[in-house]
Amino acid sequence: MCGIVGAVADRQVQNILLEGLKRLEYRGYDSAGMAVLSADARLSRQRAVGKVAALEEKLQASGLRGHVGIAHTRWATHGRPTENNAHPHQSGDSLAVVHNGIIENYEILKADLEGQGYVFLSETDTEVIAHLMSREVSRHDDLLSAFQHVVDMLNGAYALAVTHADYPDQIVGARKGSPLVVGVGIDEAFLASDPLALLQVTDRFIYLQEGDVARLTVGGNIEIFNAGQSVERPSAIFEHGDGAVSRGDYRHFMLKEIHEQSQVIANTLEGRLGDRHVFTRILGAEADDLLAHVKNIQIVACGTSYHAGMVARYWLEKLAGIPTQVEVASEYRYREVVVPEGTLFVTLSQSGETADTLAALRYASQKGGYLASLAICNVPGSSLVRESDLTLMTQAGPEIGVASTKAFTTQLVALLLLTLALRHVRQGDDDVQARLVNALRELPRLITRGLALDSAIETMSAAFAEKHHALFLGRGTMFPIALEGALKLKEISYIHAEAYPAGELKHGPLALVDSDMPVIAVAPNDELLEKLKSNLQEVRARGGELFVFADEHVAINESEGVHVLRMPAVDDVIAPILYTLPLQLLSYHVAVLKGTDVDQPRNLAKSVTVE
Ligand code: G6P
């Protein structure tokens, strides 16, 4: 999704801004641009459609330089991905604006501005902000008060940064509904929509809060205001280090992140497992009391995170005996929901900034009647974390590949920890918990064994490269894993893939099965295995080619049209975590064979901060 970088310094900032844009490429975008103020306070701008590399060429050719500037990667919402629609947007020669999010009242504002003689050059909602700023700067004594006035007129979601030639020593920024951080430097200051954009210049950040407006001045002065009042915001050190955002020796971030799963799962488990049970304080000191009152659970999430929620539903009902609902956030937020007594409202999100998930949390807070809200999230300081009553952090580290991998498996681990903590609060120690705590301790080693199948899966992937469709089957907790496998394949290889609970096969999808439709099944050694085997027979009987990821002890054998990949034996509760790996690797290798842009698939964004 769109990215913002801004800088004010004594030194030239164009390369800092450019490096920031490169670091934001992973979020997904279709055009990029930059505007800087030179030493003699002249505003220059360059914009380009396509990759940041195209902008870099233009910047080099134009020799654009300056000590104050803003830059942007755009993911089209209003208007096509053209140079005219790319940010920064200007009004006249002296003012430039970059914007993430959506201005909902832009049509009214635009009509008003056009009536006053302003001419619009783009199809974007953002251009109204440029013209409003131009108008208000002429009516106010300083940039900040003009900016505050403009911000008050905007409905919708935004992170903004503005620079103006009449104020060549500063930039102003604001956030409402879209993330924005201030990077604290030594005698210099920065703005970005994501701290990763600035790790080359600082590791200290102030996470702006809803409604904050900031002014950054040359010399490193940072002022923050909310509702017109000056406010203090704490700064925090970004802990993951700059190494976490480099590809190392891996060909793609996605492959690196798949291979990090053993370590990040160990990190997510650290300090949370007792000898025979999960510590209930993983949710904070008062959690025992609160967890004891949970009678229902409502999970809300989007995309891959939603699939993690679907797995958790099986766990929470089976192991903790708690009725659980799971819903995509974009539906939940617009529904009249009935909240059963004692409902814990759980959001799942890698980024903690997904617009629909955040809106669902706000809807729940406004509606009231929930016991508490809990965010299971990977980004400390994100909006979801700040606005929830309780948090359970995954420790996946920065995830750069748009297709989520390690964030998903660490979410599963966190959800299983939550399930076991709830069980412990209800019934104290028992052998089931002791068994699963043990299995969780073993999990990082098992993940390493699972990843050793990489080259076998790479060989298998050749069978998919020329296909146009694929069908994934699973039962029980393996159904959401099948859904996640299908999502991965379509996200990065653009092959149409669907997933079904295997028992639904004869209610429709069987009609599609022929030799052109590969069928992938996940078959751990669980109580539904025999039923799954019958479903696989149904596929074979129609000439469908089967690719089965099966437990090493399961009697499913290779034969004509049946390819079996043996997985390490695993407790069936843990199986969904382990069986995710081969499906991630399969989609990765198919995408590589097809030559797609694995880390930044077309049309997709890492963090969907607009509705
Ligand atoms: C986007 C990403 C997905 C992610 C989903 C939810 O679609 O491309 O990988 O699963 O958003 O994101 P979240 O950050 O809330 O988990």
Side-chain angles (χ1 to χ4, degrees):
M1 201 112 295
C2 305
I4 288 179
V5 196
V8 283
D10 282 328
R11 56 177 162 158
Q12 313 247 318
V13 297
Q14 64 279 356
N15 290 339
I16 296 172
L17 297 175
L18 184 66
E19 174 63 19
L21 292 185
K22 288 181 181 169
R23 286 164 179 252
L24 291 178
E25 286 193 287
Y26 78 96
R27 293 169 66 98
Y29 69 102
D30 40 50
S31 51
M34 184 188 296
V36 297
L37 289 171
S38 57
D40 59 353
R42 263 188 318 107
L43 184 72
S44 335
R45 171 179 71 172
Q46 287 295 333
R47 299 179 293 175
V49 173
K51 296 283 178 191
V52 171
L55 176 68
E56 187 172 11
E57 270 179 33
K58 282 188 151 184
L59 291 171
Q60 272 164 5
S62 69
L64 177 144
R65 299 160 87 81
H67 66 293
V68 170
I70 54 178
H72 192 261
T73 46
R74 173 173 187 257
W75 189 81
T77 57
H78 291 67
R80 291 154 301 130
T82 60
E83 188 173 323
N84 253 358
N85 288 335
H87 301 214
H89 286 283
Q90 289 188 205
S91 179
D93 297 338
S94 42
L95 175 147
V97 176
V98 291
H99 164 223
N100 290 356
I102 288 178
I103 303 303
E104 284 176 344
N105 57 338
Y106 88 100
E107 277 164 329
I108 301 172
L109 295 169
K110 185 172 175 179
D112 199 24
L113 286 159
E114 279 174 335
Q116 293 164 19
Y118 288 92
V119 178
F120 281 75
L121 303 174
S122 79
E123 303 160 297
T124 66
D125 51 344
T126 305
E127 199 180 348
V128 296
I129 306 172
H131 294 313
L132 285 174
M133 275 304 295
S134 161
R135 191 183 74 192
E136 295 307 318
V137 164
S138 66
R139 295 177 180 174
H140 289 78
D141 291 341
D142 66 302
L143 186 63
L144 184 74
S145 43
F147 185 55
Q148 270 183 329
H149 198 81
V150 169
V151 161
D152 289 344
M153 287 186 260
L154 305 176
N155 294 341
Y158 49 81
L160 294 170
V162 176
T163 181
H164 196 297
D166 292 350
Y167 301 91
D169 62 338
Q170 57 188 266
I171 53 177
V172 287
R175 80 154 277 171
K176 185 181 156 229
S178 282
L180 193 65
V181 299
V182 177
V184 184
I186 298 169
D187 300 332
E188 52 193 17
F190 310 93
L191 271 180
S193 48
D194 181 332
L196 298 184
L198 297 174
L199 287 178
Q200 79 278 22
V201 281
T202 183
D203 62 355
R204 180 171 287 282
F205 295 95
I206 298 170
Y207 293 84
L208 292 180
Q209 297 188 12
E210 282 299 278
D212 280 357
V213 168
R215 173 165 58 192
L216 281 49
T217 320
V218 173
N221 192 28
I222 297 162
E223 300 157 277
I224 302 173
F225 305 85
N226 196 298
Q229 303 296 314
S230 168
V231 288
E232 289 288 321
R233 300 280 181 233
S235 66
I237 297 287
F238 184 87
E239 282 168 5
H240 298 290
D242 208 7
V245 287
S246 90
R247 250 188 307 120
D249 291 335
Y250 288 94
R251 184 165 170 197
H252 295 100
F253 277 107
M254 182 179 178
L255 189 61
K256 174 178 179 244
E257 288 159 2
I258 289 173
H259 281 277
E260 281 171 354
Q261 286 176 108
S262 172
Q263 184 57 52
V264 295
I265 284 176
N267 296 348
T268 303
L269 291 170
E270 200 180 306
R272 291 169 166 172
L273 298 179
D275 281 345
R276 286 176 57 83
H277 62 260
V278 169
F279 296 129
T280 47
R281 58 141 210 262
I282 58 172
L283 291 185
E286 300 89 47
D288 280 13
D289 193 41
L290 189 117
L291 292 185
H293 289 93
V294 176
K295 291 202 179 79
N296 291 282
I297 292 182
Q298 174 67 58
I299 299 177
V300 170
C302 299
T304 289
S305 296
Y306 169 66
H307 295 154
M310 286 179 74
V311 175
R313 177 179 177 196
Y314 289 87
W315 287 337
L316 286 159
E317 299 210 337
K318 177 176 174 171
L319 296 166
I322 301 176
T324 301
Q325 301 292 326
V326 190
E327 193 164 340
V328 287
S330 53
E331 286 299 314
Y332 192 83
R333 63 179 289 195
Y334 289 117
R335 220 159 53 70
E336 231 3 279
V337 296
V338 176
V339 185
E341 195 202 330
T343 299
L344 179 67
F345 183 81
V346 181
T347 53
L348 301 177
S349 175
Q350 185 282 125
S351 61
E353 302 292 350
T354 301
D356 283 320
T357 310
L358 203 50
L361 170 65
R362 290 176 185 157
Y363 167 74
S365 315
Q366 227 166 27
K367 184 174 178 67
Y370 299 83
L371 189 64
S373 58
L374 163 66
I376 297 185
C377 189
N378 193 41
V379 179
S382 60
S383 304
L384 210 60
V385 166
R386 281 204 314 267
E387 294 185 29
S388 297
D389 302 322
L390 302 165
T391 50
L392 180 55
M393 299 308 297
T394 50
Q395 302 293 343
E399 188 179 68
I400 306 295
V402 163
S404 184
T405 54
K406 61 177 181 168
F408 177 67
T409 46
T410 51
Q411 280 172 344
L412 289 177
V413 167
L415 285 160
L416 187 51
L417 290 172
L418 173 68
T419 305
L420 293 174
L422 283 161
R423 182 179 172 104
H424 185 68
V425 166
R426 273 161 184 68
Q427 59 188 67
D429 272 355
D430 65 11
D431 289 346
V432 172
Q433 291 168 65
R435 185 192 96 214
L436 290 174
V437 162
N438 216 17
L440 279 170
R441 263 207 194 90
E442 284 300 310
L443 183 58
R445 265 195 291 275
L446 209 57
I447 297 282
T448 307
R449 284 183 58 204
L451 290 172
L453 296 170
D454 193 2
S455 58
I457 295 169
E458 186 176 359
T459 309
M460 186 186 257
S461 64
F464 291 78
E466 302 299 321
K467 302 286 187 210
H468 297 291
H469 307 276
L471 186 62
F472 287 71
L473 298 177
R475 277 179 173 266
T477 51
M478 289 299 140
F479 166 49
I481 298 308
L483 280 169
E484 176 57 13
L487 178 64
K488 286 286 90 85
L489 192 67
K490 63 188 142 197
E491 277 180 317
I492 60 169
S493 74
Y494 315 148
I495 292 174
H496 168 230
E498 287 198 61
Y500 268 86
E504 277 289 292
L505 192 58
K506 9 181 160 16
H507 298 294
L510 201 52
L512 298 172
V513 171
D514 62 13
S515 56
D516 273 341
M517 168 78 101
V519 178
I520 301 103
V522 265
N525 197 1
D526 63 14
E527 58 209 14
L528 295 171
L529 179 67
E530 290 309 316
K531 301 216 177 288
L532 179 70
K533 279 161 89 175
S534 313
N535 301 136
L536 301 186
Q537 293 299 336
E538 291 160 7
V539 171
R540 267 317 286 149
R542 272 93 191 159
E545 193 170 8
L546 274 170
F547 297 84
V548 189
F549 297 98
D551 184 283
E552 57 195 0
H553 301 308
V554 156
I556 297 180
N557 295 319
E558 290 259 349
S559 58
E560 203 199 328
V562 184
H563 313 273
V564 182
L565 212 129
R566 301 271 166 214
M567 297 288 292
V570 58
D571 191 298
D572 62 1
V573 171
I574 310 280
I577 307 175
L578 185 70
Y579 279 72
T580 300
L581 308 180
L583 303 187
Q584 293 172 341
L585 286 167
L586 181 68
S587 58
Y588 171 76
H589 288 299
V590 175
V592 169
L593 281 177
K594 292 198 70 178
T596 58
D597 191 344
V598 172
D599 286 330
Q600 293 163 39
R602 68 183 182 202
N603 304 341
L604 299 182
K606 180 72 189 158
S607 180
V608 180
T609 50
V610 295
E611 208 184 323

